[in-house]
Amino acid sequence: MTTEAKKSKVYFTDMRVKSGDTLLKKLERLMKKAGIEDIDFQNKYTAIKIHFGEPGNLAYLRPNYAKVVADLVKEAGGRPFLTDCNTLYIGGRKNALDHMESAYQNGFSPFSTGCHIIIGDGLKGTDEVYVPVEGGEYVKEAKIGRAVMDADIIISLNHFKGHECAGFGGALKNLGMGCGSRAGKMEMHSAGKPYVHQELCIGCKKCTNICAHEAAIVTDKKASIDHNKCVGCGRCIGVCPQDAVKPAQDESFDILNRKMAEYTKAVIQGRPNFHISLVIDVSPFCDCHAENDAAVVPNVGMFASFDPVALDVACADAVNAQPVIANTLLAESNHEGHDHFGAISPDTNWKSCIEHAVKLGIGSDQYELITIR
Ligand code: SF4
Ligand code: SF4
């Protein structure tokens, strides 16, 4: 890791609970000890960024944890809401209606969490704000879901687990990739121009009608996209009734990680932010999958910090210090080294995201771990 003089404080509690106590009370104590009450929540819209889980996946964070965060914000006078942005790929969360349906199926509702759900980038993933990235090398203007940017305060509530592109999914992934609109996600995953799978196309011209740049054209009842005219706004992906327009996934994982750091900076810069990661059910891949393979290491605990970079490094170190569980993908991988995430997804390098985040001034890769009961 690069050296950074300043150490950020990361607070930790394990998953042990004595009679009379609960994990939910432990989470509340953790957040308070980490200083969340130093934020002035009074009458402030507070976005709690979470991943609701793809239907079928059972590794996502239970809504009970989100309720603890929402209750604390409300007690402090704030106005919390749960949020995520629509997915780039075709699945159960590709527009706001499907996304909310998936969240309800997975147990997230105003009754279970004490606050409402707002899908950050609107019905079709196009309600976005262009946010300049200070010091951005790859992204000049990040495309972030409007509701996320309209919030006065942002809290990330992260399920820490493996990720097939980023190595692991923690705070930086949840904030950077997760708050990107469809165009934003496309910018991180690729050079930014979608393609039409013509075998699926029925020539309805919805893509040509929505395209403001005359890039989507239909010839002989089949659409195609002129990449010389396309600006990568992603609107055609959202309107296609056949899911025939698909993004390219041609960016290297190294650059994807660096873009993710720049998007994270766009999300948190200039407003109070706080971050919580639960290192439990550490499945090898993202909760975007409609399945979750067995957890590869034992449950570790809950972490909280004002610094999302230090938080991610602390969680990664904690996972890498764990023994490998038998009969898991990690056990079947070459895990002789010290990086469980690299063993699961050898083409990924999570350190490129951390290094770039440090360079951008988002936080420190050095931390002081403070354990509480
Ligand atoms: S919206 Fe989809 S189905 Fe309709 S013309 Fe465009 S690519 Fe084809
Ligand atoms: S991504 Fe935007 S600019 Fe490109 S073809 Fe689709 S609608 Fe047009």
Side-chain angles (χ1 to χ4, degrees), residues 75-111:
E75 278 164 29
R79 308 196 65 192
F81 63 94
L82 299 180
T83 191
D84 195 4
C85 290
N86 292 305
T87 58
L88 184 55
Y89 59 85
I90 306 308
R93 298 174 301 123
K94 68 179 168 38
N95 59 61
L97 288 181
D98 290 354
H99 205 153
M100 292 180 75
E101 186 82 25
S102 297
Y104 295 150
Q105 271 185 44
N106 282 345
F108 292 88
S109 74
F111 309 106

Side-chain angles (χ1 to χ4, degrees), residues 55-341:
N57 185 295
L58 294 176
Y60 67 90
L61 292 185
R62 294 180 188 190
N64 312 57
Y65 294 114
K67 184 172 193 309
V68 175
V69 182
D71 283 350
L72 205 154
V73 171
K74 285 194 291 188
E75 278 164 29
R79 308 196 65 192
F81 63 94
L82 299 180
T83 191
D84 195 4
C85 290
N86 292 305
T87 58
L88 184 55
Y89 59 85
I90 306 308
R93 298 174 301 123
K94 68 179 168 38
N95 59 61
L97 288 181
D98 290 354
H99 205 153
M100 292 180 75
E101 186 82 25
S102 297
Y104 295 150
Q105 271 185 44
N106 282 345
F108 292 88
S109 74
F111 309 106
S112 63
T113 65
C115 67
H116 291 284
I117 295 169
I118 301 176
I119 302 304
D121 57 346
L123 184 61
K124 293 180 180 173
T126 55
D127 189 13
E128 62 205 355
V129 181
Y130 283 55
V131 185
V133 182
E134 291 168 20
E137 291 176 30
Y138 304 91
V139 179
K140 294 303 166 207
E141 288 184 315
K143 290 96 186 160
I144 309 291
R146 184 172 299 279
V148 174
M149 291 313 297
D150 279 350
D152 304 304
I153 297 164
I154 183 148
I155 296 174
S156 70
L157 177 57
N158 318 296
H159 174 220
F160 193 91
K161 71 281 174 190
H163 192 276
E164 52 281 10
C165 303
F168 62 70
L172 297 174
K173 159 76 178 49
N174 191 21
L175 289 162
M177 184 62 75
C179 293
S181 64
R182 179 168 282 119
K185 289 188 173 80
M186 192 154 63
E187 185 176 29
M188 284 180 271
H189 274 288
S190 71
K193 314 281 171 84
Y195 293 82
V196 176
H197 288 234
Q198 294 196 330
E199 70 281 9
L200 299 173
C201 176
I202 55 172
C204 70
K205 295 192 177 177
K206 287 192 172 159
C207 55
T208 57
N209 293 339
I210 196 91
C211 181
H213 300 273
E214 299 179 343
I217 42 176
V218 173
T219 313
D220 295 334
K221 297 192 174 170
K222 294 290 176 188
S224 60
I225 290 170
D226 181 346
H227 282 188
N228 291 320
K229 293 181 178 172
C230 174
V231 298
C233 70
R235 281 167 169 70
C236 51
I237 297 175
V239 298
C240 178
Q242 296 294 104
D243 293 335
V245 189
K246 299 191 193 292
Q249 305 262 349
D250 55 3
E251 195 60 279
S252 76
F253 289 160
D254 187 53
I255 303 294
L256 179 147
N257 267 305
R258 290 166 193 272
K259 287 181 177 176
M260 224 163 61
E262 298 195 355
Y263 265 70
T264 300
K265 175 141 192 185
V267 171
I268 65 173
Q269 67 194 6
R271 58 181 166 163
N273 57 94
F274 185 85
H275 312 282
I276 307 141
S277 289
L278 272 62
V279 187
I280 58 175
D281 299 322
V282 184
S283 47
F285 301 125
C286 184
D287 297 343
C288 293
H289 285 241
E291 85 292 330
N292 56 294
D293 197 1
V296 295
V297 295
N299 285 349
V300 177
M302 305 187 267
F303 296 72
S305 180
F306 280 101
D307 182 340
V309 185
L311 181 69
D312 271 1
V313 177
C315 292
D317 288 349
V319 169
N320 282 332
Q322 296 299 310
V324 176
I325 297 179
N327 192 25
T328 62
L329 189 61
L330 181 56
E332 292 164 3
S333 309
N334 176 11
H335 58 272
E336 296 307 312
H338 297 291
D339 183 16
H340 290 340
F341 305 106

